[in-house]
Amino acid sequence: MRASLRRLGTAAAVVLLGLTSPASPAAADDPYTVKLLAKAAPDECFNGIGNPYPAGPPCAEGQAKVDQAYVWGLTKVGPDVWFGTGANVNCLVSGATLDSIKPVVNSDYVCEYAESQVVAHDPDWPAEIGDQRAPEVWLYNTLTKRKVNKSAEIRARSTDDAERLRTTIGLRAAGNLNGVVLLGGPALNESLNLFAFDARTRRFLGSVNLPQYGNIRTFLVAEKQLYLGVGIGANGGSGGGVLRWTGELKSPFTFQTVASLPVQAADLAYHDGRIMATSWPANQPTSPAQLAGVWISPALADGEPGLGEEDATLWRQVWHARQYETDRVVAATYGGGGVASYDGYLYWGTMHVPLKATKVHQQVYPQTTDEAKQAQVANTQRSISIWRGKDLGLPTQKIELLYGATALPAYDPATAAWTTVPTGWTPLYGKSGFDNPFNNYTWRMTVAGGKLYVGTMDWSYIVQHIVAQDPGIRLRDVAPPPIDPAIYGGDLWVFPTSTEKAQPVSTTGVGNNLNYGIRNMVPDGPDLYLGMANPMNLRTDPADDVPEGGWELIKLTAPRP
């Protein structure tokens, strides 16, 4: 992010960093118990950008580094919690999404891009994802309290399996049904890799590359059928759909296409007898159907279980970002986030890659003066909005904005000016981002114990670090208010009922404020298993006064009546 901000200009960065920090909210009345079950360990030694990686850890030269950053896919089978990881994901997003490939190193993380040893040993490897490392598959048993890295079993099976793991950008999704555990993620050459395990024996079954797809975001079990949302092309930008798994232990990689969409399916939920999908936008969308939105399937059949190929063209979009966002260019950068069915409503939220809207706006409406660039940065930032709807797709459809804005800035190219334009919505409960402007992803929603939980990404820690690291940002005599360290870390919120506003469970990364997001949640009765996102790959010293980087698996125990 630091390199991206520098390209925007120092004055523009000051405007961005002048966002008002919220007051720290009070925690939920009843205490939750947090237990760290597993944590990424240092796996590499770093000895300067572009230099070979010394042996270790432990590191006789350089410093220890923890590449594995996200619990990116998470699923539970009986006492077993399976998860797949993603490495250095903040570097991958900055490179592949924001086109920022200038190496950066600070006290928290390093991104090497083209100077990575991955690229040095494979010149054909894309520079923008030079910080990729092979993801890992982990198994945590809740009875024995043991964690096992299953990745070596994949590599030992065959050279093809090992190569698929090496070229997977991260294991972004995980699911299970009928004794099979599936994990998948985007791969090189705009394709998709899937890996399968036997849930009973925990044995690796094999892997496959699906060249017709370029992304995967989630799995869902509905009416005893397993579905997965996919995208086509690089990062799913060329369309997508929903697949129904038709496999078994002996043949785990067979699917039917049950939704063909102009956008990639992001998160999935089962609601009112249908599958609901949030979506991410197509590359350069030209119609509302290609924007982030909410799609609903036909009713799941009573005879042939679930959805079939005949349903692929029958899905309908019931909401899209332009119905809220006042600026058409910014609207094209929204993503659809977590979604869940709760007390008769479908709840969902939006996602906003930091600075992506600014980058796209610069491409469409390039600005030349510092003042115009400042205005562009300030007016293109968005935090999450939270929505719910009833009777979706029917004449009685009702949609409500729970957290959001009554007005948003929009650019008028005729006057080259920004104006505040009403969104047409009044939020029931509060401002965007749960009143925190740095909550930029609605990463996951799930229901447990009769309550709806919402996990976010909060990028305040990275922004504050940029200010501290880059004195160039302070070249102008402007003193933006500092970001309150009390808000560092991803948020976990809970709706106790559908008639109450959300309450904060944690607004500081659930025990580690370097956890900038709650990437995954899996219910366990009234409790939750949380998969955290923490890309601070140089924070590996347990003796200093800063928490450690790398993914975390957490058990959150809810208060009992």
Side-chain angles (χ1 to χ4, degrees), residues 36-41 43 66-72 83-87 135-140 147-149 512 515 517 519 530-536 548-554:
L36 179 63
L37 304 179
K39 171 77 174 171
D43 53 2
V66 54
D67 289 303
Q68 302 298 327
Y70 286 20
V71 173
W72 222 357
F83 57 98
T85 69
E136 297 174 345
V137 176
W138 285 86
L139 170 63
Y140 177 85
K147 62 177 182 180
V148 179
N149 188 338
N512 180 345
N515 291 334
R519 179 60 183 87
L530 306 178
M532 309 301 288
N534 181 339
M536 309 306 165
E548 279 66 67
W551 60 257
E552 294 183 353
L553 179 68
I554 291 172

Side-chain angles (χ1 to χ4, degrees), residues 532-555:
M532 309 301 288
N534 181 339
M536 309 306 165
N537 56 27
L538 295 182
R539 286 298 184 185
T540 59
D541 184 358
D544 65 18
D545 59 355
V546 179
E548 279 66 67
W551 60 257
E552 294 183 353
L553 179 68
I554 291 172
K555 176 68 179 290

Side-chain angles (χ1 to χ4, degrees), residues 491-513:
D491 292 9
L492 180 62
W493 291 77
V494 61
F495 288 93
T497 69
S498 62
T499 59
E500 298 178 76
K501 68 184 303 182
Q503 298 178 10
V505 176
S506 171
T507 58
T508 55
V510 195
N512 180 345
N513 62 17

Side-chain angles (χ1 to χ4, degrees), residues 44-57:
E44 196 170 86
C45 296
F46 173 69
N47 199 29
I49 289 175
N51 293 328
Y53 307 135

Side-chain angles (χ1 to χ4, degrees), residues 145-484:
K145 316 300 183 187
R146 292 182 64 245
K147 62 177 182 180
V148 179
N149 188 338
K150 307 288 285 183
S151 311
E153 296 177 35
I154 298 174
R155 291 190 290 268
R157 173 71 176 265
S158 73
T159 55
D160 286 343
D161 291 305
E163 182 65 5
R164 290 187 188 112
L165 187 64
R166 185 185 78 87
T167 57
T168 300
I169 310 304
L171 290 168
R172 200 170 201 165
N176 75 88
L177 187 69
N178 297 338
V180 176
V181 176
L182 292 170
L183 302 102
L188 289 185
N189 302 318
E190 301 180 3
S191 61
L192 172 64
N193 285 339
L194 292 173
F195 302 84
F197 288 81
D198 184 325
R200 183 181 64 84
T201 66
R202 305 176 179 92
R203 180 175 57 90
F204 178 56
L205 298 175
S207 66
V208 70
N209 176 261
L210 301 179
Q212 65 270 46
Y213 303 109
N215 204 5
I216 182 173
R217 288 188 178 272
T218 193
F219 286 87
L220 170 73
V221 175
E223 294 191 8
K224 300 180 180 180
Q225 298 294 312
L226 180 64
Y227 298 89
L228 54 152
V230 296
I232 298 170
N235 201 29
S238 300
V242 178
L243 309 181
R244 179 164 70 90
W245 183 63
T246 57
E248 57 182 353
L249 278 171
K250 295 181 179 179
S251 180
F253 300 118
T254 61
F255 306 90
Q256 281 188 349
T257 301
V258 300
S260 296
L261 305 176
V263 284
Q264 63 175 312
D267 209 354
L268 304 177
Y270 178 58
H271 177 74
D272 283 349
R274 301 170 186 267
I275 305 296
M276 307 285 177
T278 54
S279 65
W280 272 62
N283 293 330
Q284 300 179 341
T286 58
S287 71
Q290 293 179 302
L291 297 173
V294 177
W295 291 76
I296 67 171
S297 77
L300 274 62
D302 293 330
E304 176 69 20
L307 299 172
E309 293 176 342
E310 68 278 5
D311 298 306
T313 61
L314 301 180
W315 290 58
R316 290 176 292 162
Q317 187 189 61
V318 296
W319 178 86
H320 59 78
R322 194 69 171 100
Q323 291 173 297
Y324 168 69
E325 173 57 53
T326 59
D327 185 272
R328 70 172 187 87
V329 176
V330 174
T333 67
Y334 275 52
V339 60
S341 178
Y342 180 58
D343 197 23
Y345 292 94
L346 184 76
Y347 286 70
W348 70 91
T350 60
M351 299 180 72
H352 309 272
V353 177
L355 301 175
K356 179 179 178 181
T358 303
K359 171 179 173 283
V360 175
H361 227 280
Q362 286 177 335
Q363 293 171 343
V364 178
Y365 300 117
Q367 304 297 319
T368 57
T369 68
D370 280 351
E371 182 179 7
K373 291 176 182 178
Q374 289 179 41
Q376 193 172 55
V377 174
N379 288 300
T380 53
Q381 304 312 307
R382 299 291 185 267
S383 48
I384 61 175
S385 53
I386 305 294
W387 302 79
R388 73 180 181 188
K390 262 190 175 181
D391 297 339
L392 296 174
L394 300 176
T396 53
Q397 172 174 301
K398 180 183 179 181
I399 292 177
E400 297 173 303
L401 175 63
L402 304 184
Y403 290 86
T406 57
L408 290 168
Y411 183 73
D412 183 353
T415 61
W418 291 88
T419 58
T420 301
V421 178
T423 63
W425 300 87
T426 300
L428 291 181
Y429 297 138
K431 298 177 182 178
S432 303
F434 293 110
D435 299 331
N436 175 0
F438 296 102
N439 271 328
N440 62 294
Y441 282 2
T442 311
W443 236 337
R444 189 66 77 200
M445 292 186 177
T446 196
V447 176
K451 301 176 182 180
L452 173 64
Y453 292 86
V454 182
T456 79
M457 174 185 169
D458 175 335
W459 65 302
S460 59
Y461 183 81
I462 293 179
V463 174
Q464 187 70 6
H465 188 74
I466 293 167
V467 174
Q469 287 286 319
D470 194 342
I473 290 178
R474 300 181 184 274
L475 288 177
R476 299 177 69 90
D477 294 327
V478 178
I483 298 171
D484 184 357

Side-chain angles (χ1 to χ4, degrees), residues 32 446-451 453 494 522-529 555-561:
Y32 285 77
T446 196
V447 176
K451 301 176 182 180
Y453 292 86
V494 61
V522 171
D524 182 29
D527 306 324
L528 292 171
Y529 289 97
K555 176 68 179 290
L556 184 82
T557 302
R560 299 301 191 254

